[in-house]
Amino acid sequence: MSISQFKQTINKFATGVTVVTAYNNAPVGLTVNSFTSVSLDPMLILFNLDKKISSLDVFLKTNYFNVNILADSQKNIASIFYKKDIDRFTKVNYRPSRNNIPILANIHGLLECQKYKIVEAGDHYLFICKIVNIVVDETKKPLVFYNSKFCNIA
Ligand SMILES: Cc1cc2nc3c(=O)[nH]c(=O)nc-3n(C[C@H](O)[C@H](O)[C@H](O)COP(=O)(O)O)c2cc1C
């Protein structure tokens, strides 16, 4: 059993694609597909962040995050938010939420979240968050990530 075998197997699990955003003096955000629902009562979700991401301090010390669920037309947005060393927020349209957290334009769905619990797990942190607001654009379809590629559902 090797890490590459583990990665190859995980890549066979199709996911949606989100950009998780936060704010501390400036907006931060990254492409995330580790998003999942956790609990209905209270309504909880989680996402995992690598301990090496550049914005980790902001996520550890602030309390509000937005999970922007990308639409199938937003592969370019997913690329902007995983490429290193680019000024991401000058390349996308967004507006601030009531908590000043970026909401990207033209997304399929939005989950505004409040930090509930952080769990350290190996080389990542699990961010478990309580939902404070939900918005869905039913006219759009989600972007999918499968086998290391962005795909559209039929
Ligand atoms: C489809 C996809 C999903 C990703 N999911 C995650 C994730 O769940 N957690 C994470 O820490 N990084 C994830 N990444 C990697 C980050 O988006 C990438 O490392 C990003 O550059 C980190 O931000 P930074 O450059 O500001 O450090 C994902 C990348 C892709 C392409």
Side-chain angles (χ1 to χ4, degrees), residues 31-34 48-50 53-54 81-82 84 88 145:
T31 300
V32 162
N33 73 339
S34 57
N48 305 336
L49 295 184
D50 193 315
I53 65 160
S54 64
F81 280 90
Y82 77 72
K84 300 282 175 194
R88 294 172 179 159
F145 192 66

Side-chain angles (χ1 to χ4, degrees), residues 38-47 63-67 99 111-117 127-134:
V38 173
S39 159
L40 296 178
D41 186 15
M43 282 183 270
L44 299 176
I45 59 99
L46 74 71
F47 53 87
N63 282 320
Y64 290 94
F65 313 117
N66 283 345
V67 177
N99 295 314
L111 294 157
E112 293 184 64
C113 315
Q114 183 173 14
K115 188 185 284 170
Y116 183 81
K117 192 171 191 177
F127 282 74
I128 302 172
C129 303
K130 194 170 172 179
I131 304 300
V132 295
N133 191 35
I134 299 174

Side-chain angles (χ1 to χ4, degrees), residues 30 48-56 123-125 127:
L30 69 155
N48 305 336
L49 295 184
D50 193 315
K51 288 180 177 173
K52 292 198 209 76
I53 65 160
S54 64
S55 50
L56 184 67
D123 55 10
H124 281 62
Y125 285 105
F127 282 74

Side-chain angles (χ1 to χ4, degrees), residues 5-122:
Q5 210 182 359
F6 177 48
K7 281 184 173 174
Q8 276 170 24
T9 310
I10 295 302
N11 284 341
K12 303 301 175 208
F13 181 64
T15 68
V17 184
T18 74
V19 171
V20 179
T21 54
Y23 185 90
N24 182 42
N25 298 320
V28 295
L30 69 155
T31 300
V32 162
N33 73 339
S34 57
F35 164 76
T36 190
S37 60
V38 173
S39 159
L40 296 178
D41 186 15
M43 282 183 270
L44 299 176
I45 59 99
L46 74 71
F47 53 87
N48 305 336
L49 295 184
D50 193 315
K51 288 180 177 173
K52 292 198 209 76
I53 65 160
S54 64
S55 50
L56 184 67
D57 285 353
V58 177
F59 281 94
L60 289 175
K61 78 176 171 203
T62 60
N63 282 320
Y64 290 94
F65 313 117
N66 283 345
V67 177
N68 295 268
I69 300 172
L70 298 187
D72 60 0
S73 59
Q74 294 187 301
K75 284 179 200 170
N76 61 323
I77 305 292
S79 302
I80 288 168
F81 280 90
Y82 77 72
K83 284 185 183 147
K84 300 282 175 194
D85 302 323
I86 57 169
D87 193 355
R88 294 172 179 159
F89 286 91
T90 62
K91 299 191 180 317
V92 298
N93 293 320
Y94 70 97
R95 64 187 168 84
S97 69
R98 273 165 301 170
N99 295 314
N100 217 19
I101 317 300
I103 299 174
L104 303 183
N106 303 315
I107 53 176
H108 179 40
L110 171 70
L111 294 157
E112 293 184 64
C113 315
Q114 183 173 14
K115 188 185 284 170
Y116 183 81
K117 192 171 191 177
I118 296 177
V119 179
E120 192 174 0

